[in-house]
Amino acid sequence: MGRKAPLEDVGDTDLEVEGRRTTAAGVPAVGRAMRISVEQMGTVRTARTLLRLNQDKGFDCPGCAWPDPAPGARHVAEFCENGAKAVAEEATLRRVTPEFFAEHSIESLRERSDHWLGQQGRLTTPMHKPEGAAHYEPVTWERALGIVARHLRELDDPDEAIFYTSGRTSNEAAFVYQLFVRELGTNNLPDCSNMCHESSGTALLETIGIGKGTVTLDDLTSADLILIAGQNPGTNHPRMLSTLEQAKGNGARIVSINPLPEAGLMTFRNPQTVRGVVGTGTPLADRHLGVRLGGDQALFQAVGHLLIERGAVDEAFVAEHTTGFEAYAAARASVDWPTTVAATGLTEAEIRALADDVAAASRVVVCWAMGITQHRHAVATIQDMLNVLLLGGHIGREGAGVCPVRGHSNVQGDRTMGIFERPAAGFLDSLDAEFGIRAPREHGVDAVDTVRALRDGRAKVFFAMGGNFVRAMSDSDVTESALETAELTCHVSTKLNRSHTVTGREALILPTLGRTERDDQLAGEQVVTVEDSMAMVHASRGRLAPASDTLLSEVAIVCELARRTLPESRVDWSGLRGDYRRIRGHISRVVPGFDRFEERIAEPGGFQLPIPPRQREFQVDGGRARFTVHPLEYPACPPGRLLLQTVRSHDQYNTTIYGLDDHYRGVKGGRRVVFVNPADLADLGLVDGQVVDIVSEWRGLDGEADLTERRAEEFRVVGYPTARGCAAAYFPETNVLVPLDSTARGSNTPTSKSVVVRLEAR
Ligand SMILES: Nc1nc2c(c(=O)[nH]1)N[C@H]1C(S)=C(S)[C@@H](COP(=O)(O)OP(=O)(O)OC[C@H]3O[C@@H](n4cnc5c(=O)[nH]c(N)nc54)[C@H](O)[C@@H]3O)O[C@H]1N2
Ligand SMILES: Nc1nc2c(c(=O)[nH]1)N[C@H]1C(S)=C(S)[C@@H](COP(=O)(O)OP(=O)(O)OC[C@H]3O[C@@H](n4cnc5c(=O)[nH]c(N)nc54)[C@H](O)[C@@H]3O)O[C@H]1N2
Ligand SMILES: [Mo]
């Protein structure tokens, strides 16, 4: 199997590689964002839109889930370059019309790149692909929703339908969506979290009783040590750099743990301070540990050993608030240094230096993202990071705690609202009591199992609330073939993407409002709410006129679909659609922490959901947090092979490609590049600039199966200071290399950060 470049990328003749940047942000960054915004929106709309971004009474940035400062502490321009790009992408003046679909067959759209598809603009009209048709055709809402309802009603079993969610959906839309799906009779509610922070949720729920982070912005700015592992905030959470700069100003030490020396952590120039504009910037990381891919567990186990050895343990905390310390201490009594050095690619001295930092600190925060969660042993790695925090009592103390930095702007809120294939029994009991329904108790499918269920003929309808499932998921060819077996694929979307071109026998595109747009319903203009990465819930109000008169809100689509699919339902779907306050009323009675919901979102900045570990209440093991013991694991890589991670460039939002540059890493005008350490290139007999195929080699989860290969063609080799034995290339282009069955133990998240590959010269 090989995956060629789409039309626009062939040859990548414009691709240039220049020196990598060591500084992130600053004035040029804002300049670039403005250029893209003005291209897509024009000057007036740009100014009007960006000034409302992340302001009280404005709309929540559809970019990342990093929290906003308290209302009084916000800048006039409380956004970053990449937030501005996310807004421009949604508020663009370009439109995809029925004429566009008449002109382009589905087959021809499939030849296009993700970048080209996204650049066509906003979807305007519901579109239908009848069985056998080569083109999408315009359809009325009435008929479109009727088609979905008919397919759902004709299923032998509700478990034959699967309802995916991406993480931009508001709390209100997510709540009615999961209610509809459960009343229909299934828990098949996979979401993007399954490919993202599922490992964090799993690891934390088992050990501290809640699958979320425990810190606030104030904790970060009052920490004295911040470890940032497996995260590239300069690109993916740029506003976090302002928080880090403030933390540093207050005396924090920052350690970056990353196979790549990412620009944002090396130096940062804040565009929102005068010093940032004229000065040379703040070096953010005091220490950079260029760990090998997947070596973090070994690193944290060694640090745990060193802390115990020197008695740097908060004995009172451990005795009063934890279980399992003896077993953990016994497992960490010694350390196998040669294995630890091989696993981490670090020297013993570097590891001892990190232990010194931790031992010297009294308030430690660990932040992490995809570099930690997308490995086979991700859950164990996160629990070993937590073990180190527990040793020092760094949970439920000001300035300390765990900080899994979320991706999509409302991915955490969607989960709180019940978008989960394995819902807690208590949540379902409340839902049943509130609505007089009987929600199913059997678990549903997650993202990986969605592909298996479709592939194996166990599912027939795939419905997506946002996202771009076929590009986001691993094993692109397998995922695409699986989707094509469906009887109906249906996408609620703002923009065109590849998932619209990989259709079931029948297919629908349902265009919807974005976060920036005004949402008028019977009771008047509506607000929605979102929850950020630190469990702050607040309102978001779009102001722009909708991209087309035909758009329906996500809430309206769900309620209208529910009404047609479940005519006997006792839920007042029309009432909920007409006035979202009624949805919030239900939420306040079903979801813990949302009492007085309506009142509290009126307060500036919103409110924080309860995080019991902040009070050292852990809802596991009789109120105590749990130390866990794991064998040391790290990804094996045979000689002559490299471990490949699949990452984001600076010009993309997941599968949405804004442009072809990766500014900080020095790549311009193309995306088919693979970063490799120059010493490895020499060993492999390759040279910088050479064109290669990347071939992944998969031998089953425990090396037990016959070798299978997957190929991504025509990538340019770029010599880059990544850890030895490691490589990096962009997703979604390289998702074709990640085997479907290669997932994290316990969370089933695709192992997008450790793929064994060889590079074949072309
Ligand atoms: N502009 C922009 N913002 C975004 C997104 C976007 O695409 N564009 N996506 C959003 C989403 S959904 C998410 S989940 C987040 C993602 O945010 P990130 O997790 O920052 O995203 P990645 O590009 O996957 O970067 C992974 C980082 O981890 C490092 N890494 C990889 N493997 C390892 C490892 O084994 N150990 C260690 N220590 N480090 C490792 C990589 O070198 C890289 O720096 O960003 C969100 N924000
Ligand atoms: N190899 C590899 N694969 C990965 C990752 C990786 O690091 N490596 N990262 C994974 C991660 S962390 C994630 S979160 C997933 C992302 O997976 P998804 O969330 O499925 O993908 P996105 O690219 O964010 O989805 C973009 C589409 O969402 C639609 N959209 C945007 N805004 C809205 C809205 O407001 N409403 C609706 N209804 N639709 C909207 C647009 O049509 C757009 O084309 O990908 C995962 N896949
Ligand atoms: Mo994500």
Side-chain angles (χ1 to χ4, degrees), residues 64 82 196 229-233 235-237 257-260 262 291-296 369-372 374-375 406-408 645-648 650 652-654 658 665 753:
C64 72
N82 279 343
C196 181
Q231 193 204 344
N232 179 19
T235 285
N236 297 313
H237 306 91
I257 303 172
N258 199 315
L260 296 173
E262 304 284 27
V291 71
R292 196 169 167 275
L293 289 168
D296 306 83
M370 296 305 100
I372 300 296
Q374 297 175 333
H375 285 287
R406 299 278 159 175
H408 269 301
Q645 62 156 322
T646 58
V647 278
R648 291 153 175 80
H650 195 62
Q652 75 184 82
Y653 194 94
N654 299 337
Y658 303 134
R665 299 193 189 112
K753 297 294 191 270

Side-chain angles (χ1 to χ4, degrees), residues 613-628:
R614 291 183 62 76
Q615 280 72 49
R616 297 192 162 172
E617 289 162 21
F618 305 101
Q619 287 158 2
V620 273
D621 295 348
R624 290 155 181 256
R626 186 185 294 173
F627 276 99
T628 47

